[in-house]
Amino acid sequence: LRKACPWPALFSAVSVAATTGALALLFLIGGPAQTENAIANGDTRTIRLYHIHTHENIEATFRVDGRYDPTTLRQLNHFLRDWRNDDETNMDPKLFDVIWETYRETGSTQPIQVVSAYRSPTTNAMLRRRSKAVAEHSQHMLGRAMDMHYADVPMSKVREIALRLERGGVGYYPTSGVPFVHLDVGSVRYWPRMSYDALARLFPDGKAVFLAA
């Protein structure tokens, strides 16, 4: 990165990432944006999902008066099961908050199409044998990730909104058979790499942290 930069600390931050041997690029400095406190605000949050593999639908109000609803969370655990073998896990409720916040910002009026959610160790191992792109310790296996497609919003817009939230991992797969965005509530990072200019357009004030995976 040798072009003029409005963020003086950028170069030192990049040096830190390089010195530690990380394969990631620390783009900008600053803490992740704070989201609304759903409990304090008494939020009621509902997500509408359609699973493209099981052809099931769900309208799930996972927060009521700011608190997670245990019954609905159990329903979502089943809905987002590993569709290949019906294994279930306890999905991380924070994932649903990120999905809800992203959906709200997109302006979509259609259910979110689920491409993949929970992935059992057996399924993950099978997929790793097929593709090097599958992580050995995938957030999917931890119930902390979902791959999604929007029928009425460009997936590039979904990615940009999710990046601005800075709530976890954001992966972009525009050339997949069903184009999708991966969201997880692991560390704040993104892939594939974006150009300096593209990230600068997303964060014109320079207040963001991203690791390019």
Side-chain angles (χ1 to χ4, degrees), residues 2-18:
R2 296 186 178 276
K3 62 187 295 183
C5 175
W7 308 282
L10 171 60
F11 299 102
S12 61
V14 171
S15 298
V16 171

Side-chain angles (χ1 to χ4, degrees), residues 97-112:
D97 286 317
V98 175
I99 292 168
W100 181 87
E101 291 166 18
T102 302
Y103 182 83
R104 179 181 60 173
E105 294 298 321
T106 64
S108 174
T109 61
Q110 299 296 315
I112 299 169

Side-chain angles (χ1 to χ4, degrees), residues 25-99:
L25 170 65
L26 182 59
F27 174 61
L28 300 173
I29 65 168
Q34 295 298 313
T35 59
E36 295 178 348
N37 187 317
I39 296 177
N41 293 339
D43 286 357
T44 293
R45 297 181 170 186
T46 301
I47 51 176
R48 292 190 299 145
L49 307 175
Y50 168 75
H51 203 299
I52 68 169
H53 298 291
T54 65
H55 306 294
E56 296 173 348
N57 294 276
I58 191 171
E59 182 167 317
T61 301
F62 65 94
R63 274 193 187 271
V64 178
D65 296 330
R67 300 189 179 278
Y68 294 121
D69 180 80
T71 299
T72 302
L73 293 182
R74 286 193 293 271
Q75 292 171 348
L76 284 167
N77 291 340
H78 177 72
F79 183 86
L80 297 172
R81 65 194 182 276
D82 185 332
W83 59 271
R84 291 177 174 86
N85 56 23
D86 285 336
D87 284 357
E88 298 181 20
T89 194
N90 291 322
M91 301 294 293
D92 190 328
K94 294 190 295 294
L95 176 65
F96 305 136
D97 286 317
V98 175
I99 292 168

Side-chain angles (χ1 to χ4, degrees), residues 99 112-115 146-150 155 179-181 183:
I99 292 168
I112 299 169
Q113 297 182 13
V114 178
V115 178
M146 192 171 96
D147 300 338
M148 64 201 70
H149 174 78
Y150 280 61
M155 296 312 296
F180 68 89
V181 165
L183 295 183

